[in-house]
Amino acid sequence: MAPTVELVERTARTHQVRWRALIYATGLGWLRLEGKPGALCAALQALRGELQGQDGSLVALHRPSKMPAFDAWGTASDTLPLMKAVKQQLDPKNTLNPGRFVGGI
């Protein structure tokens, strides 16, 4: 967990954003970033790149309306076919939030 906190701290400092984090021993956590919209987007992109490079991920639960576009889910993993199959079984007419999940599901 310490390397992840150091990564967040370094990225926040570089992009001049404020941060708060709650990280569980399981490796899951919540991160809140506050700052100018462009700086937030740049910080999120940098963090996602670093975390995905370590087989991690970053999902954005909320973004300010003035922030540049940012893919909430990130890169779809090798589980995408399974997720599509589950979606097809549970929502065969694709009526529940079409296109809003990872990989355009």
Side-chain angles (χ1 to χ4, degrees):
M1 290 186 298
T4 301
V5 171
E6 290 170 4
L7 170 64
V8 171
E9 183 176 32
R10 184 174 59 252
T11 304
R13 190 175 339 116
T14 298
H15 296 282
Q16 299 178 346
V17 296
R18 294 173 303 284
W19 67 281
R20 294 182 209 157
L22 174 62
I23 301 175
Y24 299 96
T26 58
L28 299 174
W30 298 87
L31 173 64
R32 178 182 178 97
L33 298 176
E34 299 172 343
K36 294 179 180 177
L40 289 173
C41 188
L44 287 170
Q45 288 172 334
L47 284 170
R48 178 175 279 159
E50 288 287 332
L51 293 170
Q52 286 180 342
Q54 300 170 21
D55 293 325
S57 62
L58 183 143
V59 175
L61 299 179
H62 173 76
R63 75 173 177 89
S65 60
K66 294 183 179 185
M67 190 178 104
F70 181 79
D71 180 14
W73 300 103
T75 305
S77 68
D78 59 352
T79 60
L80 186 59
L82 174 62
M83 289 188 278
K84 285 183 176 183
V86 170
K87 169 76 171 169
Q88 179 61 35
Q89 287 291 315
L90 298 175
D91 183 21
K93 294 183 181 177
N94 199 30
T95 56
L96 303 174
N97 291 318
R100 295 202 50 195
F101 191 50
V102 66
I105 297 176

